[in-house]
Amino acid sequence: MKKIFTLIDFVSFSVLAQAQIIISEIYGGGGDAGSTLKNDYIILKNIGTETASLQGATLQYAPSNKNFAQYHTLPDITLSPGQSYLIQEGSGGGGTTDLPAPDFMAANIMNFDGSQSSSEGLDIDRISGRVVLAGNALQVISPNDPQIIDLVNYGSTVRFAGTGAGITPTAATSFKRMENTPSNVPDFVIAPASLVNSMSINGSTTIADVDVNYSKFNFIVNPFVKDNNDIVFGGEVQNVKVYDEFGQVVMTSPTKISHGLDLTELPKGKYTVTGMINNAPVSQKIVRD
């Protein structure tokens, strides 16, 4: 799928394109079983070098492979370089903790058939779905539509930008962007829900607000591979796959359960390693130098 972040060939969208405001994090476990947070959320971020606005922009949501069906208009957002924007979305009805200081609580949810939804916020599925930041309220039909500012697909049942299967968040984790390339797979990692809003002090135009090369399981002990030819996991990992920067699977573990992976045949470059630990998806970036 195509994502547009820089100049595009439509004058009416040039301000939005130059804004470099992207979707940096998606959380769909709000109110689900196993979640403490009551609501789903989406975080936008300005990764450009100048102050930017999104006047008239919308967030649109589609479950899995279905068409975009719902949207809400955003307020006239103006973000400084490195500034994030926390948007509270729908709820599964459970959870115990409110989102801390959202910048905007989505309430007026519209259907593209012209009717208004009774839900308060987009009801984001935590397993798989699609979220698009668009420059207007026109329904996104194709990944090539000119109103697209950023398009993100997540989960194992949808087609990503690039190729390869997706990775699926849990009730306690979000889908967090670490890079900005034409492919979702190497761009995103599964990370603990890490809420930041417009008042958060990060002072950085890099995409990650927090270091999510984390793992309570110590997933990959040595993510920078130089002189040795293998990576070592901190425990038993199932169904290990390695994706290149284009989202293509370039290596899989020869066994279902692995404690490490031999990278001798892997060319130099940046990769994303995914796997399952205790039935929970984990992912981490590595550098083969």
Side-chain angles (χ1 to χ4, degrees):
M1 298 241 178
K2 184 178 180 181
K3 296 181 294 183
I4 302 175
F5 305 111
T6 53
L7 291 175
I8 53 179
D9 297 328
F10 296 86
V11 175
S12 60
F13 297 106
S14 62
V15 174
L16 298 178
Q18 292 174 9
Q20 293 287 301
I21 295 178
I22 61 166
I23 299 169
S24 69
E25 188 170 344
I26 298 171
Y27 175 71
D32 291 356
S35 171
T36 58
L37 294 174
K38 293 181 180 180
N39 288 84
D40 302 335
Y41 66 81
I42 296 171
I43 298 178
L44 305 180
K45 183 166 185 174
N46 179 6
I47 61 169
T49 58
E50 298 181 357
T51 298
S53 65
L54 282 180
Q55 185 176 8
T58 61
L59 279 173
Q60 303 180 21
Y61 171 72
S64 193
N65 289 317
K66 296 181 181 179
N67 293 332
F68 285 97
Q70 293 186 325
Y71 73 95
H72 65 75
T73 302
L74 293 169
D76 292 346
I77 302 170
T78 299
L79 299 179
S80 300
Q83 190 174 24
S84 296
Y85 191 85
L86 174 61
I87 301 165
Q88 178 175 299
E89 299 290 357
S91 173
T96 58
T97 306
D98 293 326
L99 298 188
D103 294 299
F104 177 65
M105 296 183 183
N108 188 22
I109 307 302
M110 300 299 298
N111 300 315
F112 280 111
D113 63 6
S115 63
Q116 183 169 345
S117 171
S118 60
S119 63
E120 294 187 1
L122 298 172
D123 187 11
I124 302 172
D125 190 292
R126 71 169 179 83
I127 295 175
S128 62
R130 293 183 292 157
V131 177
V132 65
L133 174 62
N136 53 37
L138 295 177
Q139 182 182 23
V140 169
I141 303 298
S142 163
N144 298 313
D145 285 356
Q147 72 267 36
I148 294 175
I149 302 170
D150 191 12
L151 172 62
V152 176
N153 300 292
Y154 63 95
S156 58
T157 62
V158 297
R159 183 178 179 182
F160 271 59
T163 59
I167 50 181
T168 301
T170 67
T173 57
S174 67
F175 195 56
K176 185 175 181 65
R177 187 192 295 274
M178 295 296 290
E179 294 187 37
N180 182 15
T181 74
S183 178
N184 284 170
V185 172
D187 282 0
F188 286 86
V189 297
I190 301 298
S194 52
L195 289 80
V196 292
N197 60 19
S198 61
M199 300 303 293
S200 300
I201 301 173
N202 53 64
S204 172
T205 55
T206 57
I207 295 173
D209 292 293
V210 296
D211 180 10
V212 296
N213 280 334
Y214 82 102
S215 176
K216 61 182 179 180
F217 310 102
N218 196 19
F219 179 30
I220 299 176
V221 177
N222 57 327
F224 184 75
V225 185
K226 185 173 179 64
D227 296 325
N228 55 328
N229 290 318
D230 61 347
I231 53 175
V232 178
F233 303 136
E236 291 186 346
V237 183
Q238 295 182 323
N239 302 326
V240 175
K241 295 181 181 179
V242 180
Y243 295 86
D244 64 15
E245 292 184 277
F246 302 99
Q248 299 179 357
V249 177
V250 293
M251 182 176 292
T252 59
S253 173
T255 57
K256 183 176 181 180
I257 297 178
S258 307
H259 290 85
L261 194 62
D262 185 356
L263 305 180
T264 303
E265 302 299 323
L266 199 66
K268 292 182 179 180
K270 296 180 181 179
Y271 300 90
T272 300
V273 183
T274 67
M276 301 287 292
I277 299 176
N278 295 335
N279 295 318
V282 290
S283 63
Q284 188 170 338
K285 292 189 179 297
I286 64 170
V287 176
R288 177 84 164 96
D289 194 10

